[in-house]
Amino acid sequence: MSDNVASAMPAPPAPPSLRGWGAEFRSTFALAWPLVIAQIAQNALQATDVIMMGWLGPEALAAGTLASSFIMPLFLFGVGVVGAVAPLTAQARGARDIKAIRRVVRQGFWAAILLTLLLAPIILQIRTVYGWLGQDAVLVARAEEYVQLAVLMLAPAMGVIVLRSLLSTFDSTRVILVITVGGVIVNAVANYLLMFGHFGLPRLELRGAAIATVLTNLFMLAVMLAYVLRHRRFKRFNILIRFWKPDWPRFREIFRIGTPIGLTVLAEVGLFAAAAILMGRLGTDELAAHAVALQCASLAFMVPLGLGIAATVRVGIAYGRRDAEGIRKAGWTNFVLGMAFMSISALSFVLFGPAIVSVFLDPKLPENQSALVLAATYLAIAGLFQLVDGAQVWAAHSLRGLSDTKVPMIMAIFGYWCVGLPVAWLMGFVLNLRGVGIWLGLAAGLAFVAVLLVGRFAMRERLGLLQRIAQDPSTFN
């Protein structure tokens, strides 16, 4: 790296190995808390769509659910792939390599464009796929109306992930929070105007919801890009300069690291989708109770997920700096923070489950009583696996900071589909534990993956994950 490149970089903080644990806790918390709230706000985007689709009626809500269930797994795969920008920019920051940051971000946009071109034709086959699966033709037709427009959100939404990775690398997470909250507001207003035809606009119903989704992602991308291009801390990177110039090694590196991340996300999403299908075989009450408990667990999951993103950045910076002790402190600090929160959420689910689920189902209605009891039971089990769920997401993100994604992907796929799902089937249907057995299967799969991934991070040196650092023995204490 040339001297002029190094001097262009803002001076990094003192190496974690020279800082105390308290300083690392403060740095991690300052980086993570806006990400946590931003993740919750991101959930609010989807919740707003669901609520307003419900105002249109049961048929619109069912069609919107079908559309979302089809598009989201493929979208999340794309998000996982471009998410590789986060560890790569963090490592470049640690190495003080400004050119690498610019090139990684630029190739991240390239990856988003390519993924859009690959995924969009698949998503547009929703009518064909659901036809094979025997879904109601009327609902599928309405779902197709939504998807035909919503598919346009792929590129801007993945572009947001690329820029969010850059901002997180340089601790600018409050900006991410503000822009995401702004997106929630834009989405709600656009939905209100376009879905229901207020203020003289045409009533577009599900098409209006799709347009609102596209406009919201374009808004967030535009604001985030304007901030990066104009703010003095980021404009020095010139991320759009020579945008059309290829950098094939970094382009391939994004897919090398990101594809396993995307497949890992798909494996986990698929596990919970399979669990919902199994619940549907048991009955309406079980499925409704499952949906309520899963919504609560998903909300709590936003905290370790936000912390996990911070772990990728902190570990990645230390890795780029060739600071083995910094990796240790960054990783385990995040682990402690995550376990502390998940312990609280686990205790809350176990002790206050009936009160929590009553927020979703009216306890005054006699027809809800069975679902309420089941939901509280499932939530208590969810409380028990909160710790392992937090541990596996922390470990996976920490390993991503080391660019280690392929083996964790294999561990996750095996744990979810060769342990979690078979155990859920065995306990739910063979041992006749029904919904409880299915949730115990989910817990078993998450616990299996957590043990493997935490163990991999703990043994990162003897497994050769720090070979780049090992080239300079002076970095070890």
Side-chain angles (χ1 to χ4, degrees):
M1 181 175 63
S2 62
D3 292 338
N4 63 317
V5 172
S7 62
M9 286 290 289
S17 55
L18 301 180
R19 305 161 70 215
W21 286 94
E24 183 62 35
F25 268 98
R26 289 190 293 272
S27 296
T28 298
F29 184 78
L31 174 66
W33 75 260
L35 291 173
V36 170
I37 301 177
Q39 288 298 134
I40 295 173
Q42 192 73 35
N43 262 17
L45 282 170
Q46 301 171 14
T48 301
D49 287 345
V50 171
I51 290 170
M52 292 194 176
M53 285 177 186
W55 293 351
L56 291 173
E59 183 180 284
L61 179 57
T65 301
L66 278 178
S68 178
S69 299
F70 191 78
I71 196 172
M72 285 308 294
L74 294 169
F75 169 64
L76 289 175
F77 169 76
V79 168
V81 174
V82 298
V85 171
L88 292 175
T89 53
Q91 292 165 18
R93 183 195 178 190
R96 303 187 67 191
D97 189 346
I98 191 173
K99 288 184 178 179
I101 292 174
R102 177 172 62 244
R103 291 172 179 172
V104 167
V105 172
R106 185 172 66 208
Q107 296 309 301
F109 285 128
W110 277 43
I113 294 170
L114 177 60
L115 286 164
T116 297
L117 295 176
L118 294 175
L119 296 176
I122 301 173
I123 292 170
L124 291 175
Q125 297 304 311
I126 181 172
R127 182 191 291 265
T128 301
V129 174
Y130 274 145
W132 290 340
L133 297 176
Q135 295 294 321
D136 182 89
V138 174
L139 292 181
V140 171
R142 297 200 66 182
E144 187 179 37
E145 291 180 4
Y146 177 88
V147 164
Q148 286 173 340
L149 293 172
V151 72
L152 298 175
M153 69 92 175
L154 289 177
M158 286 188 278
V160 168
I161 299 301
V162 172
L163 292 175
R164 191 181 73 176
S165 299
L166 173 64
L167 292 169
S168 299
T169 293
F170 287 88
D171 309 319
S172 296
T173 50
R174 295 188 185 187
V175 176
I176 297 172
L177 171 58
V178 172
I179 293 174
T180 305
V181 171
V184 173
I185 296 172
V186 169
N187 187 60
V189 173
N191 272 338
Y192 182 75
L193 295 176
L194 296 173
M195 291 174 69
F196 304 99
H198 293 295
F199 296 100
L201 294 172
R203 181 185 174 94
L204 299 176
E205 299 197 349
L206 288 181
R207 285 183 175 272
I211 295 172
T213 298
V214 175
L215 292 176
T216 299
N217 283 282
L218 286 172
F219 163 79
M220 292 193 294
L221 176 64
V223 175
M224 208 170 282
L225 184 60
Y227 180 86
V228 169
L229 293 178
R230 296 178 62 86
H231 193 279
R232 60 182 178 82
R233 191 179 189 193
F234 294 99
K235 65 181 180 181
R236 71 185 71 195
F237 296 125
N238 296 312
I239 62 170
L240 296 184
I241 192 171
R242 294 188 293 276
F243 182 80
W244 299 110
K245 181 181 179 181
D247 187 338
W248 299 119
R250 286 187 172 84
F251 186 73
R252 288 192 294 268
E253 185 74 355
I254 287 174
F255 278 91
R256 185 187 72 81
I257 296 173
T259 301
I261 297 175
L263 291 174
T264 300
V265 173
L266 267 183
E268 186 170 4
V269 170
L271 173 66
F272 282 91
I277 292 172
L278 293 179
M279 281 290 183
R281 293 169 62 99
L282 296 176
T284 302
D285 286 340
E286 284 83 353
L287 186 57
H290 174 77
V292 170
L294 189 59
Q295 183 61 45
C296 296
S298 298
L299 183 61
F301 182 73
M302 292 302 103
V303 175
L305 182 57
L307 286 167
I309 297 171
T312 297
V313 171
R314 299 295 299 170
V315 171
I317 291 173
Y319 185 63
R321 192 186 279 130
R322 296 191 175 190
D323 183 358
E325 177 65 10
I327 292 172
R328 185 174 75 92
K329 286 182 178 176
W332 292 113
T333 294
N334 196 285
F335 175 78
V336 171
L337 286 172
M339 289 301 97
F341 173 81
M342 295 306 265
S343 297
I344 295 172
S345 65
L347 197 61
S348 299
F349 286 175
V350 172
L351 296 180
F352 307 113
I356 294 173
V357 298
S358 66
V359 174
F360 298 86
L361 296 169
D362 189 350
K364 296 178 182 178
L365 298 178
E367 60 267 28
N368 288 344
Q369 295 308 307
S370 177
L372 279 167
V373 173
L374 289 171
T377 303
Y378 299 161
L379 195 60
I381 300 172
L384 296 178
F385 75 59
Q386 286 291 288
L387 293 176
V388 293
D389 200 12
Q392 65 90 14
V393 74
W394 158 78
H397 280 80
S398 295
L399 290 168
R400 289 171 196 174
L402 304 175
S403 295
D404 179 40
T405 58
K406 185 177 181 180
V407 173
M409 173 197 70
I410 295 171
M411 292 176 171
I413 293 175
F414 183 86
Y416 297 146
W417 287 91
C418 297
V419 177
L421 189 60
V423 170
W425 172 264
L426 174 66
M427 301 189 74
F429 294 91
V430 177
L431 299 182
N432 203 32
L433 293 179
R434 298 179 66 79
V436 171
I438 293 173
W439 272 80
L440 288 174
L442 294 176
L446 290 169
F448 183 86
V449 174
V451 170
L452 291 182
L453 293 182
V454 172
R456 185 167 177 81
F457 183 79
M459 297 188 293
R460 59 195 176 279
E461 293 182 27
R462 68 180 68 179
L463 292 174
L465 303 184
L466 304 185
Q467 287 182 354
R468 175 177 168 184
I469 294 178
Q471 295 170 2
D472 182 3
S474 63
T475 57
F476 289 94
N477 289 341

